Amino acid sequence: MLTEATIEKLRILAESAKYDVSCSSSGTVRAGKKGMVGNTVGGVGICHSFADDGRCISLLKVMLTNYCMYDCAYCINRRSNDIKRATLSVSELEEIVMEFYRRNYIEGLFLSSGVVRNPDYTMERLVRIAQDLRTIHRFNGYIHLKSIPGASRELVKKAGIYADRMSVNIEIPKEESLKLVAPEKDHKSVFEPMSFIREGVLENKEDKKNLKHVPRFVPAGQSTQMIVGATPETDKDILLLSSSLYQQPTMRRVYYSGYVSVNTYDSRLPVLKQPPLVRENRLYQADWLLRFYHFNVNEIVDETHTNLDLDVDPKLSWALRHPERFPVDINKDDYEKILRVPGIGVKSAMLIVNSRRFNRITSYHLKKMGVVMKKAKYFIVCGELTNMFSGPTIGINEIHPERLKPLLLSDKQKKEINDRKQLSFDFDS
């Protein structure tokens, strides 16, 4: 039975955990087993979001403690902050998870912690919780563990046996900026646990080739998070690091968190009236282009455009900068070219390529396939849009990109651009 004191601790620690956005999961399925409690059917979960099969998934997102030995400028739980502090014991947290799970409040656990004493001491407690949930309480639901930067190889690999996913947050993309706002940290302490997780996953795959029964090791891979807007890195700096991380076979997602001014008194940080949410959204869109649309970083951002255009999405921005690549003939050009047309997604591009073998594709067909014709019509030729059917086609090569851009914005977008009150901060001054 949960006491009022335990519930109060939970309230404090859940509030302290809300700034970590790298809590989603994918790529793991734990089927129900006799003698075990729960499962992760569907294999995807994120706090108050949706699974691939349409289900809403909830995770208990909580910290073991919000006491911390570090004094990072951007963190609400920094050592010098005067905030309410709390610590759950290992048994208390295990009891909360099992009680909430049995009552169908949650479908899994996302567990992080402030660093107390030293990284290994904190990591050992996180591992013990995961181990107890699996072996003593027979919990078969989803577990996402936050690996503590600087933790030893042995503890990280032990955690991977019981966790579905692990994450180590980079937070600040460049070492020199990290030293400015978190002088007690360095990138080595972050990248080492990442390498331990990667080694464990690869070793596990090799063991499966030779042994019949091998415990799974972090089946959902790992994720990380970067803070956007706290330091002067450009979007190009952030995306270059993300691209290099995605080259690792176990990195599933890089998350971007718009900086929230929680420590306004610290002069090392910009003072923002609101988080840079539009920039955060553009980074997610660019991340999608890297992962699914076969773009590279230098195409999305370059030396001339080191930051993403806040007015339009990165794919449309690229198309407006490269009118020579258009128009694309929907009925003749290959999949790669069609995929780069604004308004056409991965599924639509595949449908186009497969369908045109049987019939000539027209704008009617494109609409049925889910293509956003408001954008796409300026970058394509097909069916009745060609000269043969409707006279001269008005596309990006007939309309200057600067004149075309306003035509692609909705009234709501135009209003948002006019009303946008995101403050810029001059780091050089």
Side-chain angles (χ1 to χ4, degrees), residues 134-172:
R134 296 291 191 212
T135 59
I136 297 175
H137 300 283
R138 313 298 290 171
F139 179 68
N140 200 39
Y142 174 80
I143 297 179
H144 183 151
L145 279 187
K146 183 81 170 292
S147 182
I148 303 299
S152 68
R153 182 192 303 266
E154 292 73 19
L155 286 172
V156 172
K157 290 196 172 183
K158 187 176 181 181
I161 298 172
Y162 305 107
D164 291 287
R165 170 169 284 190
M166 296 182 68
S167 60
V168 194
N169 286 355
I170 295 173
E171 305 292 20
I172 305 299

